[in-house]
Amino acid sequence: MLVIYFHGFASGPNGSKVDMLREAGFTVFAPEIDIDPDVAEPYLISFIRGVMAAAAIGEQIVFVGTSLGGFWAARMGELFDTPAVLINPAMHPEESLKKY
């Protein structure tokens, strides 16, 4: 199974959660996510398209996200009709992270 992991706010793609997913046997891709949603969304769409194009035919893909990454996992899951696992998702970052 291939996992695309979305990190949380003030975190990054090289954290312990990615390490744990890899140690569990998953192939993990983890993009760096810009805090600006106008930058992040088109980048993530392009990133995911690239991963999906390179994936083996029939390989199962799941999105996993924590905190703000949970928001992105849900959003990308809708756009790509792909299952998503959300861990403590920030579902309204436009409010909760407004000051950033």
Side-chain angles (χ1 to χ4, degrees):
M1 179 181 296
L2 191 150
V3 172
I4 298 178
Y5 174 77
F6 301 87
H7 65 79
F9 176 73
S11 188
N14 298 315
S16 62
K17 293 173 189 86
V18 170
D19 292 339
M20 286 188 290
L21 288 165
R22 287 186 176 135
E23 288 169 9
F26 298 104
T27 300
V28 182
F29 291 86
E32 180 73 43
I33 304 171
D34 195 285
I35 186 62
D36 182 343
D38 293 330
V39 173
E41 185 166 51
Y43 171 75
L44 291 173
I45 290 169
S46 176
F47 180 89
I48 292 165
R49 285 183 179 150
V51 170
M52 289 181 159
I57 294 173
E59 185 169 19
Q60 186 175 2
I61 297 173
V62 64
F63 299 148
V64 176
T66 55
S67 188
L68 182 58
F71 167 83
W72 285 116
R75 174 80 177 127
M76 295 299 117
E78 288 178 24
L79 290 176
F80 287 92
D81 192 27
T82 300
V85 176
L86 314 179
I87 303 166
N88 192 30
M91 294 314 296
H92 297 285
E94 69 280 3
E95 293 300 322
S96 61
L97 296 173
K98 185 182 275 187
K99 64 184 174 182
Y100 301 105

